Every structure is written in C-alpha cells, then in structure tokens.
Amino acid sequence: MSNDPQSIDVARAYLRVGDLRGAARALVDADHVAPAEVRCRPLARTVIAEIARVRPAPAGVARLATVVGLTR
C-alpha cells in the first residue's frame, strides 16, 4: 500500500463488491504504512465504521475502530 488516497479507495472497492476480508486487509495494511491517512481521513473512518458493523468485526478493523474513536 502506498501513502496516498488510493489505499482507502482500494478498501472501499473491496467493500462495494462485498469482500469484507479484502477491505479489512487493505485498511490494516494501509494503517501500517500510513496511519495518519487511515486514522484521520473522513472516508477512511466511514469505511472502518462500515466494516466494524459486521459481527464479529475483523480484529484489525475492530482495533482501528477503537483507535479512531468509533467504538468504546
């Protein structure tokens, strides 16, 4: 993953086709490379929230949701 907006777009694309695991993996990978991109960008927060609604949420996304303040 690169440090650009495409990282989040990839996660969103996976989400649109129903591949939650791919979306989660893309977000977690992007967070390792560019945490500020994932944690501060509004679109990223939206994607995190959508994936985190799945029960059980993928562990990496559940962690991100907590880190960005989307869960308690």
Side-chain angles (χ1 to χ4, degrees), residues 32-70:
H32 287 304
V33 175
E37 177 79 16
V38 174
R39 297 173 188 192
C40 298
R41 190 165 175 224
L43 177 59
R45 294 170 60 87
T46 299
V47 174
I48 292 168
E50 289 181 33
I51 298 170
R53 282 188 217 132
V54 176
R55 296 290 175 223
V61 174
R63 179 189 57 79
L64 281 172
T66 300
V67 167
V68 301
L70 296 174

Side-chain angles (χ1 to χ4, degrees), residues 4-13 27 30 37-38 41 43-44 47:
D4 60 44
Q6 292 177 352
S7 301
I8 306 310
D9 293 336
V10 169
R12 189 172 73 171
L27 279 175
E37 177 79 16
V38 174
R41 190 165 175 224
L43 177 59
V47 174

